[in-house]
Amino acid sequence: MAIKTKATEAPALPLNDILSGDCIEVMRSLPDASIDLIFADPPYNLQLKGELHRPDNSKVDAVDDHWDQFSSFAAYDTFTRAWLAEARRLLKPNGAIWVIGSYHNIFRVGASMQDAGFWLLNDVVWRKSNPMPNFRGKRFTNAHETMIWASKSENSRYTFNYDALKALNEGTQMRSDWLLPLCTGHERLKDANGEKAHPTQKPESLLHRVLIGSTNPGDVVLDPFFGTGTTGAVAKMLGRNFIGIEREEAYRKVAAKRIARVRTFDASALETAGSKRAEPRIPFGHLVERGLLRPGEVLVSPRGTTAKIRADGTLAGDSVAGSIHQVGAAYEKAPSCNGWTYWHFRRDGKTIPIDSLRQQVRAEMNN
Amino acid sequence: MAIKTKATEAPALPLNDILSGDCIEVMRSLPDASIDLIFADPPYNLQLKGELHRPDNSKVDAVDDHWDQFSSFAAYDTFTRAWLAEARRLLKPNGAIWVIGSYHNIFRVGASMQDAGFWLLNDVVWRKSNPMPNFRGKRFTNAHETMIWASKSENSRYTFNYDALKALNEGTQMRSDWLLPLCTGHERLKDANGEKAHPTQKPESLLHRVLIGSTNPGDVVLDPFFGTGTTGAVAKMLGRNFIGIEREEAYRKVAAKRIARVRTFDASALETAGSKRAEPRIPFGHLVERGLLRPGEVLVSPRGTTAKIRADGTLAGDSVAGSIHQVGAAYEKAPSCNGWTYWHFRRDGKTIPIDSLRQQVRAEMNN
DNA sequence: CTCCGGCGTGAATCCGGAG
DNA sequence: TCTCCGGATTCACGCCGGA
């Protein structure tokens, strides 16, 4: 009797591989809700000329500029909506996407993302420290590109490693404008003739920040316009899995060779600044149960007001009782209050925040 | 027999006046091809849910005005296309338009502009030197807004005062990213109650750069969403004519009073904002992102003690982790420590202070 | 007079696990 | 799926009052 694969079992994902073919068709072969993050660097409008069709698929004759322009935008929109729809299907419910572009295409892409149900989280500006100048002096130096970061839906609980990004930015929260140099020098891949292997190779520093900020080690990152594989290279370095899709064989070859040379950083180097939200929750009552605070003991607020600890871990204050947070909020007439930092106890003449007891309990739990 | 106005004679433009009413209807009353430049700050269609409090429990004064409410993206698009069509009709053949927005609306606006036949010239990022932080730590600090600069059509010979902008930028080409502070302090207009007169007043420095760069003295500048009249005030200062459209009487009154006080400059006035800065701060994490140091690599202190670099730019040392400064301070049992001079890395048998890498990055960014 | 510290505030799509 | 509620979360800068 043959072993039967359960119908509910998802097909295996081709992890850490570069898939060959048109990105929309290849995406169709991948299972629903299997991807944690998508990074997409789609082609610009310019390359689609010559395939102009009206929405009803009739071919457009040579026409005046205005109609031609509109048709070209329509064709680009059709393409954009198609790959975005597949991308969204592939994302896990809490998945997210980054798309990078310039003013030629990013507005159309962003509007299509909103229409497709993606929920925009930020637009992030990549400021180039070494952009190409505008040689003719007719416009501003085009010194940035725009990235859109969006979750699969409005109520996705997307990944955002706030503390790691804050650490990367020397202690202040990361802003929506990132100053990074273009990909040049030894990082820029060359082909056999010594020419650049790809016209728009993205710098690894850009992907580093994207992946540190919006994925965790072991996550699956899909890049449907893989090119020379910057996404894959950085994903591998950082201990993330990748799936690349690329239809040009020359790019696939360069990317595969590049990624083969990459080594994953040690697990210890991949640990990032931890967030308090990830710490185990300690109910205040545990401090009472464990005798670190006694029922009947009095806690003091920064204002000097007091409340008495009850045996069940609630506080009794002036005309109000409840959790440490509720009584603190009532005293401050505030919508909320973090009781752990608000309340203090006294020992040996010193006034100590109760949060220090929570830290002590957490440390013991880690032993 | 009454004197008949010739049909071909254009009606006189209401120069340097604030017109009352809905912007689309009022624009319909103005003649074709009569405007040199349009600056538009349309509603952003923010979709705010509940209240937001700062960590200190104070409430954020959000933009919840009725004029920013739209029932759907489709309704917003209909509105956008309607005012853009009128705006384009009003422009002279060589006229141009600036539109400012945030990620909530700018992608829809940009796509509608392309569909309407505008020719995008640049997108320009207004980087805010003092943005509101992200209080919940769930996203990047929303530290910029986007402006789209477009000509009426692809073959417009639009105005671009390249040399004036180059002079404003200390002799190098003006880039597409502008660092300017928010409108605060004395410049921020207050109503009779001392509250801000308008929730989204734009800084004059922003309009200054727009008008210097893309108009000439005597040009006619239309602002269909006039608000408190920053466009009019700066136009008057710089010897340009303005036409404002605003439907809220309160805003019109404030704007008229403001503009009456403005005096036109003689000739050359220089921007005050955003000129000189101290040396740019380089977070240690940037060295890691950019591959100058590798996660997992070991740094050495003057005493010979060591710590390992992590992917987010923090250090992991003996029983302590954190920034280069924090770990250095812990090792020295000192209240603070300059990690840049404390830590060294090894290359080719030499021990080199990490500060040398910081200097290298600064040099690249000043190019 | 200056200097210093505290306070106010800015276009914001700002929580998530337990039950 | 909904409700409840614990508890985590901020940067730059201008103004003002007190020393």
Side-chain angles (χ1 to χ4, degrees):
Chain A
M1 194 175 180
I3 295 169
K4 195 173 152 193
T5 305
K6 277 185 284 185
T8 54
E9 191 174 310
L13 277 179
L15 290 185
N16 305 312
D17 208 354
I18 308 173
L19 309 180
S20 162
D22 171 76
C23 81
I24 297 170
E25 286 171 27
V26 175
M27 281 198 281
R28 284 201 181 113
S29 73
L30 299 174
D32 292 0
S34 55
I35 304 290
D36 294 292
L37 189 84
I38 294 174
F39 184 89
D41 183 9
Y44 295 170
N45 196 1
L46 321 168
Q47 298 162 3
L48 289 185
K49 282 182 180 156
E51 307 181 349
L52 302 186
H53 295 273
R54 297 192 180 88
D56 64 0
N57 263 337
S58 61
K59 193 153 158 249
V60 176
D61 287 329
V63 286
D64 66 63
D65 287 348
H66 184 76
W67 172 243
D68 179 53
Q69 199 175 307
F70 181 83
S71 305
S72 160
F73 285 137
Y76 188 75
D77 291 346
T78 301
F79 164 72
T80 300
R81 284 193 280 260
W83 76 258
L84 281 174
E86 282 305 307
R88 189 155 183 270
R89 179 183 66 78
L90 295 184
L91 282 178
K92 296 179 184 174
N94 293 332
I97 186 172
W98 288 80
V99 187
I100 184 167
S102 71
Y103 68 87
H104 304 91
N105 70 326
I106 198 66
F107 302 113
R108 314 203 74 80
V109 170
S112 294
M113 288 174 72
Q114 290 181 308
D115 292 341
F118 286 104
W119 189 246
L120 304 196
L121 298 168
N122 278 113
D123 59 337
V124 171
V125 172
W126 168 29
R127 301 176 51 223
K128 303 174 183 179
S129 56
N130 49 348
M132 190 188 305
N134 184 286
F135 294 115
R136 297 177 54 213
K138 304 306 270 182
R139 303 185 184 192
F140 298 96
T141 304
N142 202 351
H144 75 276
E145 293 188 27
T146 301
M147 296 190 288
I148 301 175
W149 176 42
S151 60
K152 178 167 183 172
S153 71
E154 182 173 353
N155 33 20
S156 296
R157 292 196 300 275
Y158 54 90
T159 298
F160 184 60
N161 294 321
Y162 177 79
D163 295 282
L165 288 165
K166 192 170 173 177
L168 263 182
N169 200 34
E170 197 135 279
T172 52
Q173 63 178 210
M174 187 69 80
R175 297 171 37 121
S176 58
D177 53 334
W178 301 357
L179 180 64
L180 295 169
L182 292 167
C183 180
T184 57
H186 67 277
E187 189 186 323
R188 188 82 192 220
L189 298 171
K190 303 292 196 297
D191 64 17
N193 305 323
E195 304 291 319
K196 56 191 176 190
H198 191 281
T200 65
Q201 185 182 340
K202 295 292 175 288
E204 294 185 357
S205 58
L206 192 72
L207 270 294
H208 183 109
R209 198 175 291 183
V210 166
L211 295 184
I212 286 286
S214 54
T215 63
N216 292 310
D219 279 2
V220 178
V221 179
L222 170 69
D223 186 336
F225 306 98
F226 202 58
T228 49
T230 306
T231 302
V234 179
K236 184 175 174 186
M237 278 179 215
L238 294 178
R240 278 70 169 167
N241 296 295
F242 70 89
I243 301 173
I245 305 175
E246 176 53 51
R247 63 179 177 188
E248 302 287 335
E249 173 165 17
Y251 296 156
R252 288 199 304 274
K253 279 180 73 173
V254 171
K257 193 171 157 195
R258 168 191 195 176
I259 294 169
R261 283 197 305 266
V262 169
R263 289 226 310 242
T264 301
F265 299 133
D266 298 342
S268 65
L270 295 179
E271 288 174 22
T272 56
S275 91
K276 283 193 191 173
R277 288 187 242 255
E279 302 260 323
R281 228 178 82 183
I282 310 290
F284 176 71
H286 285 196
L287 307 187
V288 181
E289 286 176 340
R290 301 183 53 173
L292 297 169
L293 292 168
R294 297 179 310 280
E297 193 167 355
V298 166
L299 295 185
V300 191
S301 80
R303 290 183 193 279
T305 52
T306 60
K308 188 180 281 187
I309 299 172
R310 304 195 291 197
D312 63 352
T314 59
L315 297 188
D318 299 336
S319 72
V320 56
S323 72
I324 53 173
H325 314 292
Q326 289 167 336
V327 177
Y331 276 25
E332 295 298 314
K333 297 183 180 27
S336 71
C337 171
N338 184 341
W340 289 106
T341 54
Y342 184 75
W343 294 109
H344 300 247
F345 66 101
R346 287 196 233 266
R347 282 286 183 288
D348 307 326
K350 288 188 212 150
T351 304
I352 304 166
I354 59 173
D355 203 30
S356 68
L357 297 174
R358 182 170 64 160
Q359 308 288 5
Q360 185 182 322
V361 170
R362 279 184 178 148
E364 289 169 18
M365 290 168 61
N366 288 334
N367 285 345
Chain B
M1 192 177 179
I3 295 170
K4 197 172 153 193
T5 304
K6 277 187 283 185
T8 55
E9 190 176 314
L13 277 179
L15 290 184
N16 304 313
D17 207 355
I18 307 172
L19 309 180
S20 162
D22 171 75
C23 80
I24 297 169
E25 287 171 25
V26 175
M27 282 197 280
R28 285 202 180 111
S29 73
L30 299 175
D32 291 2
S34 55
I35 303 290
D36 294 293
L37 189 85
I38 294 175
F39 183 90
D41 182 11
Y44 286 10
N45 190 25
L46 301 184
Q47 295 145 66
L48 306 176
K49 299 289 191 307
E51 295 185 341
L52 180 65
H53 293 87
R54 298 185 178 81
D56 66 4
N57 271 324
S58 63
K59 190 166 157 245
V60 174
D61 184 14
V63 178
D64 52 5
D65 304 71
H66 64 92
W67 48 255
D68 198 44
Q69 313 291 327
F70 292 84
S71 57
S72 64
F73 284 138
Y76 187 77
D77 291 344
T78 301
F79 163 74
T80 299
R81 285 192 281 260
W83 76 257
L84 281 173
E86 283 306 308
R88 189 155 182 270
R89 181 183 64 78
L90 295 183
L91 282 179
K92 295 179 184 173
N94 293 330
I97 186 171
W98 289 81
V99 187
I100 183 167
S102 68
Y103 68 88
H104 311 85
N105 71 324
I106 199 65
F107 302 112
R108 316 199 74 80
V109 169
S112 294
M113 289 174 71
Q114 292 179 308
D115 292 344
F118 286 105
W119 187 250
L120 304 198
L121 298 168
N122 277 113
D123 57 337
V124 172
V125 172
W126 169 28
R127 302 175 50 221
K128 303 177 184 182
S129 57
N130 51 347
M132 196 183 336
N134 184 289
F135 295 117
R136 305 299 293 267
K138 302 308 291 182
R139 302 185 178 191
F140 298 97
T141 306
N142 202 349
H144 74 277
E145 295 187 24
T146 301
M147 295 188 290
I148 301 175
W149 177 41
S151 59
K152 178 166 181 171
S153 70
E154 182 173 354
N155 32 23
S156 298
R157 293 197 305 276
Y158 54 89
T159 298
F160 184 60
N161 295 320
Y162 177 80
D163 294 303
L165 288 165
K166 193 168 171 181
L168 267 181
N169 200 34
E170 295 178 339
T172 56
Q173 254 183 24
M174 186 68 79
R175 296 167 41 117
S176 57
D177 53 333
W178 301 356
L179 180 65
L180 296 169
L182 295 171
C183 179
T184 59
H186 290 305
E187 188 185 325
R188 189 82 191 213
L189 298 170
K190 304 290 195 298
D191 65 16
N193 304 322
E195 306 289 319
K196 58 188 174 191
H198 191 283
T200 70
Q201 186 183 340
K202 295 293 174 289
E204 294 185 358
S205 59
L206 193 71
L207 271 293
H208 184 106
R209 196 174 289 185
V210 166
L211 295 184
I212 287 287
S214 54
T215 63
N216 293 309
D219 278 2
V220 178
V221 179
L222 170 69
D223 185 335
F225 306 96
F226 203 59
T228 49
T230 306
T231 302
V234 178
K236 183 175 175 187
M237 278 178 216
L238 296 177
R240 277 73 170 165
N241 295 295
F242 71 88
I243 300 172
I245 305 175
E246 176 53 51
R247 64 178 179 186
E248 303 284 334
E249 172 164 19
Y251 299 157
R252 288 198 305 274
K253 280 180 71 171
V254 171
K257 193 170 157 196
R258 168 192 194 177
I259 293 169
R261 283 198 306 265
V262 170
R263 291 233 300 254
T264 301
F265 297 141
D266 296 333
S268 60
L270 288 180
E271 271 189 5
T272 56
S275 50
K276 279 276 199 291
R277 276 186 300 155
E279 285 206 281
R281 194 171 53 94
I282 309 291
F284 175 70
H286 288 198
L287 308 186
V288 179
E289 286 179 333
R290 300 189 43 187
L292 298 169
L293 292 168
R294 296 181 310 280
E297 192 167 355
V298 166
L299 295 184
V300 190
S301 79
R303 292 180 191 279
T305 51
T306 61
K308 188 184 282 190
I309 299 171
R310 304 197 293 191
D312 64 349
T314 56
L315 297 187
D318 299 335
S319 73
V320 57
S323 72
I324 53 172
H325 314 293
Q326 289 168 334
V327 177
Y331 276 26
E332 297 298 315
K333 296 184 179 29
S336 68
C337 168
N338 181 349
W340 289 106
T341 54
Y342 184 74
W343 293 108
H344 300 248
F345 66 102
R346 288 196 235 265
R347 282 285 182 288
D348 307 326
K350 287 185 213 153
T351 304
I352 305 166
I354 58 174
D355 204 29
S356 67
L357 297 174
R358 179 168 66 160
Q359 283 159 18
Q360 181 183 324
V361 169
R362 277 195 179 134
E364 289 171 19
M365 294 193 167
N366 288 334
N367 284 345

